Amino acid sequence: MIARLVWHAGLLAVAVVTIAVQLDRQSAVTPAMSRLVPDPARAFAQAQIAATAYRKGSADQALTHAQKLVHQRPVPAETLALLAQAQIKAGQVEEGFVTIQIAAKRGWREPNSQEAMLRLASAAGDDAEATRRYIALMLQNRTEDALLSEFGAQLFGDPDGEGARTLADIVGGSTRWPSAFLQRGARVIPAETFAKVVVAASERGTPFDCRLLQHAAGSLRSKSTTATNRLEALVRRQC
């Protein structure tokens, strides 16, 4: 009899844990369910609660929930980025800047921390660091072209400036994403800088797809004759 009771109690415990975990996962899709998740089982749910507190709650609530989130999930850059936002909202500006820098170093694919670091570096006049953050954002599909165009004009308006030189070093030193750079860079980077970077990267041995190169050259015709001529000359040499 006792064994059966223990067995049923064990099954009940497993069922409760399973339901809690499922609710927690579902809260990532349906934030309203986050409050239904038992406190010990909150992972995704705590992220939703912290984000809601940041948007709608007081500064103290936002900070408390964000700190709890980081305590539960200290590794992901996303949780640190949320903590940084909560710290700044609570008036802990210096602490927030330190946290956002840690988040940006830990997660190059975390867009909020990368955008924050881009803005900070740009405001500080550190065009090289801003360019590195810009590239991290450019490689993410969810980054809006409007943001990239805004900072593209600031960082790469001078084809011979520090931002443009850093961009040329990054593109010329990588063979992993030249196609992505051709496709998106032509839209969001000033035409003459874009063309100069592509030519410089090609001279360093970076391979560019001829079809994409021709398309990029065509897309610049309405922007800059000089840039178009540079890319068309590269097409003739390379393709």
PDB file of all heavy atoms in Angstrom, residues 129-162:
ATOM      1  N   GLU A 129      35.746  50.699 -33.233  1.00  0.00           N
ATOM      2  CA  GLU A 129      34.893  49.826 -32.425  1.00  0.00           C
ATOM      3  C   GLU A 129      33.451  49.883 -32.917  1.00  0.00           C
ATOM      4  O   GLU A 129      32.767  48.858 -32.985  1.00  0.00           O
ATOM      5  CB  GLU A 129      34.959  50.238 -30.955  1.00  0.00           C
ATOM      6  CG  GLU A 129      34.118  49.376 -30.020  1.00  0.00           C
ATOM      7  CD  GLU A 129      34.556  47.921 -29.996  1.00  0.00           C
ATOM      8  OE1 GLU A 129      35.728  47.631 -30.335  1.00  0.00           O
ATOM      9  OE2 GLU A 129      33.723  47.060 -29.647  1.00  0.00           O
ATOM     10  N   ALA A 130      32.992  51.067 -33.275  1.00  0.00           N
ATOM     11  CA  ALA A 130      31.629  51.201 -33.796  1.00  0.00           C
ATOM     12  C   ALA A 130      31.456  50.379 -35.070  1.00  0.00           C
ATOM     13  O   ALA A 130      30.409  49.763 -35.286  1.00  0.00           O
ATOM     14  CB  ALA A 130      31.314  52.669 -34.061  1.00  0.00           C
ATOM     15  N   THR A 131      32.478  50.340 -35.904  1.00  0.00           N
ATOM     16  CA  THR A 131      32.409  49.561 -37.145  1.00  0.00           C
ATOM     17  C   THR A 131      32.281  48.074 -36.854  1.00  0.00           C
ATOM     18  O   THR A 131      31.523  47.356 -37.517  1.00  0.00           O
ATOM     19  CB  THR A 131      33.651  49.825 -38.016  1.00  0.00           C
ATOM     20  OG1 THR A 131      33.678  51.206 -38.377  1.00  0.00           O
ATOM     21  CG2 THR A 131      33.631  48.977 -39.276  1.00  0.00           C
ATOM     22  N   ARG A 132      33.008  47.595 -35.860  1.00  0.00           N
ATOM     23  CA  ARG A 132      32.908  46.171 -35.506  1.00  0.00           C
ATOM     24  C   ARG A 132      31.497  45.830 -35.032  1.00  0.00           C
ATOM     25  O   ARG A 132      30.955  44.770 -35.371  1.00  0.00           O
ATOM     26  CB  ARG A 132      33.951  45.826 -34.443  1.00  0.00           C
ATOM     27  CG  ARG A 132      35.383  45.785 -34.986  1.00  0.00           C
ATOM     28  CD  ARG A 132      36.366  45.258 -33.960  1.00  0.00           C
ATOM     29  NE  ARG A 132      36.727  46.276 -32.989  1.00  0.00           N
ATOM     30  CZ  ARG A 132      37.737  47.130 -33.143  1.00  0.00           C
ATOM     31  NH1 ARG A 132      38.478  47.095 -34.234  1.00  0.00           N
ATOM     32  NH2 ARG A 132      38.018  48.025 -32.207  1.00  0.00           N
ATOM     33  N   ARG A 133      30.898  46.716 -34.262  1.00  0.00           N
ATOM     34  CA  ARG A 133      29.520  46.484 -33.809  1.00  0.00           C
ATOM     35  C   ARG A 133      28.547  46.599 -34.982  1.00  0.00           C
ATOM     36  O   ARG A 133      27.543  45.884 -35.048  1.00  0.00           O
ATOM     37  CB  ARG A 133      29.154  47.489 -32.711  1.00  0.00           C
ATOM     38  CG  ARG A 133      30.117  47.484 -31.535  1.00  0.00           C
ATOM     39  CD  ARG A 133      30.192  46.124 -30.856  1.00  0.00           C
ATOM     40  NE  ARG A 133      31.229  46.096 -29.831  1.00  0.00           N
ATOM     41  CZ  ARG A 133      31.445  45.077 -29.015  1.00  0.00           C
ATOM     42  NH1 ARG A 133      30.703  43.994 -29.108  1.00  0.00           N
ATOM     43  NH2 ARG A 133      32.410  45.123 -28.116  1.00  0.00           N
ATOM     44  N   TYR A 134      28.841  47.496 -35.889  1.00  0.00           N
ATOM     45  CA  TYR A 134      28.012  47.675 -37.084  1.00  0.00           C
ATOM     46  C   TYR A 134      27.973  46.386 -37.903  1.00  0.00           C
ATOM     47  O   TYR A 134      26.908  45.948 -38.350  1.00  0.00           O
ATOM     48  CB  TYR A 134      28.586  48.819 -37.918  1.00  0.00           C
ATOM     49  CG  TYR A 134      27.808  49.164 -39.165  1.00  0.00           C
ATOM     50  CD1 TYR A 134      26.832  50.154 -39.146  1.00  0.00           C
ATOM     51  CD2 TYR A 134      28.064  48.507 -40.370  1.00  0.00           C
ATOM     52  CE1 TYR A 134      26.127  50.481 -40.294  1.00  0.00           C
ATOM     53  CE2 TYR A 134      27.362  48.824 -41.521  1.00  0.00           C
ATOM     54  CZ  TYR A 134      26.395  49.815 -41.480  1.00  0.00           C
ATOM     55  OH  TYR A 134      25.696  50.128 -42.623  1.00  0.00           O
ATOM     56  N   ILE A 135      29.136  45.779 -38.085  1.00  0.00           N
ATOM     57  CA  ILE A 135      29.207  44.530 -38.842  1.00  0.00           C
ATOM     58  C   ILE A 135      28.407  43.431 -38.149  1.00  0.00           C
ATOM     59  O   ILE A 135      27.699  42.646 -38.792  1.00  0.00           O
ATOM     60  CB  ILE A 135      30.674  44.091 -39.018  1.00  0.00           C
ATOM     61  CG1 ILE A 135      31.392  45.036 -39.983  1.00  0.00           C
ATOM     62  CG2 ILE A 135      30.761  42.663 -39.526  1.00  0.00           C
ATOM     63  CD1 ILE A 135      30.863  44.993 -41.400  1.00  0.00           C
ATOM     64  N   ALA A 136      28.507  43.369 -36.820  1.00  0.00           N
ATOM     65  CA  ALA A 136      27.754  42.353 -36.070  1.00  0.00           C
ATOM     66  C   ALA A 136      26.259  42.509 -36.309  1.00  0.00           C
ATOM     67  O   ALA A 136      25.528  41.517 -36.423  1.00  0.00           O
ATOM     68  CB  ALA A 136      28.073  42.461 -34.579  1.00  0.00           C
ATOM     69  N   LEU A 137      25.789  43.744 -36.396  1.00  0.00           N
ATOM     70  CA  LEU A 137      24.373  43.993 -36.653  1.00  0.00           C
ATOM     71  C   LEU A 137      24.016  43.731 -38.113  1.00  0.00           C
ATOM     72  O   LEU A 137      22.940  43.209 -38.417  1.00  0.00           O
ATOM     73  CB  LEU A 137      24.020  45.439 -36.288  1.00  0.00           C
ATOM     74  CG  LEU A 137      23.945  45.741 -34.793  1.00  0.00           C
ATOM     75  CD1 LEU A 137      23.873  47.248 -34.558  1.00  0.00           C
ATOM     76  CD2 LEU A 137      22.735  45.056 -34.161  1.00  0.00           C
ATOM     77  N   MET A 138      24.917  44.077 -39.017  1.00  0.00           N
ATOM     78  CA  MET A 138      24.643  43.883 -40.442  1.00  0.00           C
ATOM     79  C   MET A 138      24.409  42.412 -40.778  1.00  0.00           C
ATOM     80  O   MET A 138      23.602  42.075 -41.649  1.00  0.00           O
ATOM     81  CB  MET A 138      25.801  44.423 -41.285  1.00  0.00           C
ATOM     82  CG  MET A 138      25.613  44.192 -42.786  1.00  0.00           C
ATOM     83  SD  MET A 138      27.055  44.662 -43.763  1.00  0.00           S
ATOM     84  CE  MET A 138      26.713  46.389 -43.987  1.00  0.00           C
ATOM     85  N   LEU A 139      25.093  41.530 -40.084  1.00  0.00           N
ATOM     86  CA  LEU A 139      24.996  40.103 -40.386  1.00  0.00           C
ATOM     87  C   LEU A 139      23.734  39.461 -39.827  1.00  0.00           C
ATOM     88  O   LEU A 139      23.509  38.274 -40.042  1.00  0.00           O
ATOM     89  CB  LEU A 139      26.228  39.375 -39.840  1.00  0.00           C
ATOM     90  CG  LEU A 139      27.553  39.753 -40.506  1.00  0.00           C
ATOM     91  CD1 LEU A 139      28.706  39.016 -39.865  1.00  0.00           C
ATOM     92  CD2 LEU A 139      27.499  39.468 -42.000  1.00  0.00           C
ATOM     93  N   GLN A 140      22.923  40.238 -39.124  1.00  0.00           N
ATOM     94  CA  GLN A 140      21.677  39.711 -38.576  1.00  0.00           C
ATOM     95  C   GLN A 140      20.502  40.208 -39.413  1.00  0.00           C
ATOM     96  O   GLN A 140      20.315  41.409 -39.581  1.00  0.00           O
ATOM     97  CB  GLN A 140      21.505  40.155 -37.122  1.00  0.00           C
ATOM     98  CG  GLN A 140      22.628  39.657 -36.223  1.00  0.00           C
ATOM     99  CD  GLN A 140      22.399  40.027 -34.780  1.00  0.00           C
ATOM    100  OE1 GLN A 140      21.351  39.736 -34.214  1.00  0.00           O
ATOM    101  NE2 GLN A 140      23.368  40.676 -34.173  1.00  0.00           N
ATOM    102  N   ASN A 141      19.718  39.280 -39.907  1.00  0.00           N
ATOM    103  CA  ASN A 141      18.609  39.636 -40.791  1.00  0.00           C
ATOM    104  C   ASN A 141      17.589  40.549 -40.123  1.00  0.00           C
ATOM    105  O   ASN A 141      16.937  41.355 -40.790  1.00  0.00           O
ATOM    106  CB  ASN A 141      17.909  38.368 -41.292  1.00  0.00           C
ATOM    107  CG  ASN A 141      18.777  37.566 -42.238  1.00  0.00           C
ATOM    108  OD1 ASN A 141      19.621  38.121 -42.933  1.00  0.00           O
ATOM    109  ND2 ASN A 141      18.590  36.252 -42.262  1.00  0.00           N
ATOM    110  N   ARG A 142      17.437  40.422 -38.811  1.00  0.00           N
ATOM    111  CA  ARG A 142      16.402  41.211 -38.138  1.00  0.00           C
ATOM    112  C   ARG A 142      16.804  42.664 -37.908  1.00  0.00           C
ATOM    113  O   ARG A 142      15.976  43.469 -37.491  1.00  0.00           O
ATOM    114  CB  ARG A 142      16.025  40.561 -36.806  1.00  0.00           C
ATOM    115  CG  ARG A 142      17.193  40.270 -35.886  1.00  0.00           C
ATOM    116  CD  ARG A 142      16.720  39.547 -34.632  1.00  0.00           C
ATOM    117  NE  ARG A 142      17.822  38.996 -33.873  1.00  0.00           N
ATOM    118  CZ  ARG A 142      17.698  38.475 -32.670  1.00  0.00           C
ATOM    119  NH1 ARG A 142      16.519  38.443 -32.090  1.00  0.00           N
ATOM    120  NH2 ARG A 142      18.737  37.973 -32.040  1.00  0.00           N
ATOM    121  N   THR A 143      18.064  43.005 -38.154  1.00  0.00           N
ATOM    122  CA  THR A 143      18.474  44.405 -38.041  1.00  0.00           C
ATOM    123  C   THR A 143      17.882  45.194 -39.202  1.00  0.00           C
ATOM    124  O   THR A 143      18.032  44.820 -40.361  1.00  0.00           O
ATOM    125  CB  THR A 143      20.005  44.540 -38.067  1.00  0.00           C
ATOM    126  OG1 THR A 143      20.569  43.739 -37.031  1.00  0.00           O
ATOM    127  CG2 THR A 143      20.415  45.991 -37.858  1.00  0.00           C
ATOM    128  N   GLU A 144      17.224  46.291 -38.897  1.00  0.00           N
ATOM    129  CA  GLU A 144      16.562  47.074 -39.933  1.00  0.00           C
ATOM    130  C   GLU A 144      17.575  47.866 -40.763  1.00  0.00           C
ATOM    131  O   GLU A 144      18.557  48.395 -40.235  1.00  0.00           O
ATOM    132  CB  GLU A 144      15.546  48.029 -39.308  1.00  0.00           C
ATOM    133  CG  GLU A 144      14.386  47.314 -38.617  1.00  0.00           C
ATOM    134  CD  GLU A 144      13.371  48.282 -38.051  1.00  0.00           C
ATOM    135  OE1 GLU A 144      13.591  49.513 -38.170  1.00  0.00           O
ATOM    136  OE2 GLU A 144      12.362  47.824 -37.495  1.00  0.00           O
ATOM    137  N   ASP A 145      17.293  47.963 -42.058  1.00  0.00           N
ATOM    138  CA  ASP A 145      18.165  48.732 -42.941  1.00  0.00           C
ATOM    139  C   ASP A 145      18.241  50.200 -42.521  1.00  0.00           C
ATOM    140  O   ASP A 145      19.269  50.857 -42.721  1.00  0.00           O
ATOM    141  CB  ASP A 145      17.660  48.646 -44.386  1.00  0.00           C
ATOM    142  CG  ASP A 145      18.110  47.364 -45.077  1.00  0.00           C
ATOM    143  OD1 ASP A 145      18.767  46.527 -44.424  1.00  0.00           O
ATOM    144  OD2 ASP A 145      17.796  47.199 -46.270  1.00  0.00           O
ATOM    145  N   ALA A 146      17.156  50.716 -41.947  1.00  0.00           N
ATOM    146  CA  ALA A 146      17.142  52.127 -41.548  1.00  0.00           C
ATOM    147  C   ALA A 146      18.236  52.414 -40.518  1.00  0.00           C
ATOM    148  O   ALA A 146      18.919  53.447 -40.589  1.00  0.00           O
ATOM    149  CB  ALA A 146      15.773  52.498 -40.980  1.00  0.00           C
ATOM    150  N   LEU A 147      18.409  51.502 -39.572  1.00  0.00           N
ATOM    151  CA  LEU A 147      19.457  51.680 -38.555  1.00  0.00           C
ATOM    152  C   LEU A 147      20.836  51.606 -39.198  1.00  0.00           C
ATOM    153  O   LEU A 147      21.715  52.431 -38.908  1.00  0.00           O
ATOM    154  CB  LEU A 147      19.323  50.603 -37.480  1.00  0.00           C
ATOM    155  CG  LEU A 147      20.422  50.595 -36.405  1.00  0.00           C
ATOM    156  CD1 LEU A 147      20.323  51.840 -35.532  1.00  0.00           C
ATOM    157  CD2 LEU A 147      20.331  49.333 -35.544  1.00  0.00           C
ATOM    158  N   LEU A 148      21.024  50.635 -40.090  1.00  0.00           N
ATOM    159  CA  LEU A 148      22.318  50.477 -40.750  1.00  0.00           C
ATOM    160  C   LEU A 148      22.622  51.663 -41.662  1.00  0.00           C
ATOM    161  O   LEU A 148      23.772  52.096 -41.764  1.00  0.00           O
ATOM    162  CB  LEU A 148      22.334  49.176 -41.549  1.00  0.00           C
ATOM    163  CG  LEU A 148      22.229  47.890 -40.722  1.00  0.00           C
ATOM    164  CD1 LEU A 148      22.115  46.676 -41.639  1.00  0.00           C
ATOM    165  CD2 LEU A 148      23.422  47.734 -39.787  1.00  0.00           C
ATOM    166  N   SER A 149      21.610  52.194 -42.312  1.00  0.00           N
ATOM    167  CA  SER A 149      21.823  53.362 -43.173  1.00  0.00           C
ATOM    168  C   SER A 149      22.192  54.587 -42.346  1.00  0.00           C
ATOM    169  O   SER A 149      23.068  55.377 -42.727  1.00  0.00           O
ATOM    170  CB  SER A 149      20.558  53.648 -43.995  1.00  0.00           C
ATOM    171  OG  SER A 149      20.293  52.598 -44.895  1.00  0.00           O
ATOM    172  N   GLU A 150      21.518  54.736 -41.201  1.00  0.00           N
ATOM    173  CA  GLU A 150      21.802  55.877 -40.323  1.00  0.00           C
ATOM    174  C   GLU A 150      23.262  55.878 -39.884  1.00  0.00           C
ATOM    175  O   GLU A 150      23.971  56.889 -40.021  1.00  0.00           O
ATOM    176  CB  GLU A 150      20.890  55.813 -39.092  1.00  0.00           C
ATOM    177  CG  GLU A 150      21.204  56.865 -38.032  1.00  0.00           C
ATOM    178  CD  GLU A 150      20.490  56.604 -36.710  1.00  0.00           C
ATOM    179  OE1 GLU A 150      19.578  55.748 -36.677  1.00  0.00           O
ATOM    180  OE2 GLU A 150      20.867  57.250 -35.710  1.00  0.00           O
ATOM    181  N   PHE A 151      23.720  54.751 -39.368  1.00  0.00           N
ATOM    182  CA  PHE A 151      25.094  54.693 -38.883  1.00  0.00           C
ATOM    183  C   PHE A 151      26.095  54.490 -40.014  1.00  0.00           C
ATOM    184  O   PHE A 151      27.265  54.853 -39.880  1.00  0.00           O
ATOM    185  CB  PHE A 151      25.232  53.602 -37.823  1.00  0.00           C
ATOM    186  CG  PHE A 151      24.745  54.045 -36.481  1.00  0.00           C
ATOM    187  CD1 PHE A 151      23.460  53.741 -36.065  1.00  0.00           C
ATOM    188  CD2 PHE A 151      25.549  54.805 -35.644  1.00  0.00           C
ATOM    189  CE1 PHE A 151      22.992  54.170 -34.838  1.00  0.00           C
ATOM    190  CE2 PHE A 151      25.092  55.241 -34.415  1.00  0.00           C
ATOM    191  CZ  PHE A 151      23.805  54.925 -34.009  1.00  0.00           C
ATOM    192  N   GLY A 152      25.637  53.919 -41.123  1.00  0.00           N
ATOM    193  CA  GLY A 152      26.518  53.800 -42.279  1.00  0.00           C
ATOM    194  C   GLY A 152      26.957  55.170 -42.768  1.00  0.00           C
ATOM    195  O   GLY A 152      28.133  55.387 -43.093  1.00  0.00           O
ATOM    196  N   ALA A 153      26.015  56.109 -42.791  1.00  0.00           N
ATOM    197  CA  ALA A 153      26.350  57.471 -43.223  1.00  0.00           C
ATOM    198  C   ALA A 153      27.318  58.133 -42.249  1.00  0.00           C
ATOM    199  O   ALA A 153      28.232  58.864 -42.652  1.00  0.00           O
ATOM    200  CB  ALA A 153      25.071  58.295 -43.348  1.00  0.00           C
ATOM    201  N   GLN A 154      27.134  57.877 -40.952  1.00  0.00           N
ATOM    202  CA  GLN A 154      28.007  58.484 -39.944  1.00  0.00           C
ATOM    203  C   GLN A 154      29.419  57.900 -39.982  1.00  0.00           C
ATOM    204  O   GLN A 154      30.411  58.629 -39.923  1.00  0.00           O
ATOM    205  CB  GLN A 154      27.419  58.272 -38.548  1.00  0.00           C
ATOM    206  CG  GLN A 154      26.143  59.046 -38.267  1.00  0.00           C
ATOM    207  CD  GLN A 154      25.653  58.817 -36.846  1.00  0.00           C
ATOM    208  OE1 GLN A 154      26.435  58.539 -35.941  1.00  0.00           O
ATOM    209  NE2 GLN A 154      24.353  58.916 -36.648  1.00  0.00           N
ATOM    210  N   LEU A 155      29.490  56.583 -40.081  1.00  0.00           N
ATOM    211  CA  LEU A 155      30.788  55.911 -39.959  1.00  0.00           C
ATOM    212  C   LEU A 155      31.586  55.893 -41.253  1.00  0.00           C
ATOM    213  O   LEU A 155      32.821  55.933 -41.226  1.00  0.00           O
ATOM    214  CB  LEU A 155      30.574  54.465 -39.486  1.00  0.00           C
ATOM    215  CG  LEU A 155      30.058  54.276 -38.063  1.00  0.00           C
ATOM    216  CD1 LEU A 155      29.680  52.821 -37.832  1.00  0.00           C
ATOM    217  CD2 LEU A 155      31.108  54.721 -37.056  1.00  0.00           C
ATOM    218  N   PHE A 156      30.880  55.821 -42.380  1.00  0.00           N
ATOM    219  CA  PHE A 156      31.566  55.568 -43.646  1.00  0.00           C
ATOM    220  C   PHE A 156      31.361  56.675 -44.675  1.00  0.00           C
ATOM    221  O   PHE A 156      31.568  56.464 -45.865  1.00  0.00           O
ATOM    222  CB  PHE A 156      31.095  54.222 -44.221  1.00  0.00           C
ATOM    223  CG  PHE A 156      31.065  53.110 -43.212  1.00  0.00           C
ATOM    224  CD1 PHE A 156      29.896  52.393 -42.972  1.00  0.00           C
ATOM    225  CD2 PHE A 156      32.198  52.791 -42.480  1.00  0.00           C
ATOM    226  CE1 PHE A 156      29.858  51.375 -42.035  1.00  0.00           C
ATOM    227  CE2 PHE A 156      32.176  51.773 -41.531  1.00  0.00           C
ATOM    228  CZ  PHE A 156      30.998  51.062 -41.300  1.00  0.00           C
ATOM    229  N   GLY A 157      30.951  57.843 -44.198  1.00  0.00           N
ATOM    230  CA  GLY A 157      30.756  58.956 -45.122  1.00  0.00           C
ATOM    231  C   GLY A 157      32.050  59.372 -45.796  1.00  0.00           C
ATOM    232  O   GLY A 157      32.051  59.813 -46.945  1.00  0.00           O
ATOM    233  N   ASP A 158      33.156  59.219 -45.091  1.00  0.00           N
ATOM    234  CA  ASP A 158      34.478  59.525 -45.654  1.00  0.00           C
ATOM    235  C   ASP A 158      35.126  58.212 -46.085  1.00  0.00           C
ATOM    236  O   ASP A 158      35.463  57.378 -45.240  1.00  0.00           O
ATOM    237  CB  ASP A 158      35.339  60.220 -44.597  1.00  0.00           C
ATOM    238  CG  ASP A 158      36.745  60.534 -45.110  1.00  0.00           C
ATOM    239  OD1 ASP A 158      37.032  60.258 -46.292  1.00  0.00           O
ATOM    240  OD2 ASP A 158      37.555  61.057 -44.314  1.00  0.00           O
ATOM    241  N   PRO A 159      35.321  57.997 -47.384  1.00  0.00           N
ATOM    242  CA  PRO A 159      35.913  56.732 -47.856  1.00  0.00           C
ATOM    243  C   PRO A 159      37.317  56.471 -47.321  1.00  0.00           C
ATOM    244  O   PRO A 159      37.790  55.330 -47.369  1.00  0.00           O
ATOM    245  CB  PRO A 159      35.942  56.902 -49.381  1.00  0.00           C
ATOM    246  CG  PRO A 159      34.917  57.951 -49.670  1.00  0.00           C
ATOM    247  CD  PRO A 159      34.953  58.882 -48.493  1.00  0.00           C
ATOM    248  N   ASP A 160      37.967  57.521 -46.813  1.00  0.00           N
ATOM    249  CA  ASP A 160      39.323  57.361 -46.283  1.00  0.00           C
ATOM    250  C   ASP A 160      39.366  57.459 -44.757  1.00  0.00           C
ATOM    251  O   ASP A 160      40.451  57.500 -44.172  1.00  0.00           O
ATOM    252  CB  ASP A 160      40.247  58.435 -46.884  1.00  0.00           C
ATOM    253  CG  ASP A 160      40.359  58.307 -48.394  1.00  0.00           C
ATOM    254  OD1 ASP A 160      40.564  57.180 -48.873  1.00  0.00           O
ATOM    255  OD2 ASP A 160      40.222  59.334 -49.086  1.00  0.00           O
ATOM    256  N   GLY A 161      38.197  57.505 -44.125  1.00  0.00           N
ATOM    257  CA  GLY A 161      38.143  57.656 -42.677  1.00  0.00           C
ATOM    258  C   GLY A 161      38.446  56.367 -41.936  1.00  0.00           C
ATOM    259  O   GLY A 161      38.583  55.287 -42.534  1.00  0.00           O
ATOM    260  N   GLU A 162      38.525  56.477 -40.614  1.00  0.00           N
ATOM    261  CA  GLU A 162      38.874  55.310 -39.790  1.00  0.00           C
ATOM    262  C   GLU A 162      37.831  54.207 -39.915  1.00  0.00           C
ATOM    263  O   GLU A 162      38.167  53.020 -39.974  1.00  0.00           O
ATOM    264  CB  GLU A 162      39.016  55.729 -38.324  1.00  0.00           C
ATOM    265  CG  GLU A 162      39.445  54.584 -37.413  1.00  0.00           C
ATOM    266  CD  GLU A 162      39.586  55.004 -35.960  1.00  0.00           C
ATOM    267  OE1 GLU A 162      39.113  56.107 -35.615  1.00  0.00           O
ATOM    268  OE2 GLU A 162      40.161  54.230 -35.174  1.00  0.00           O
TER     269      GLU A 162
END
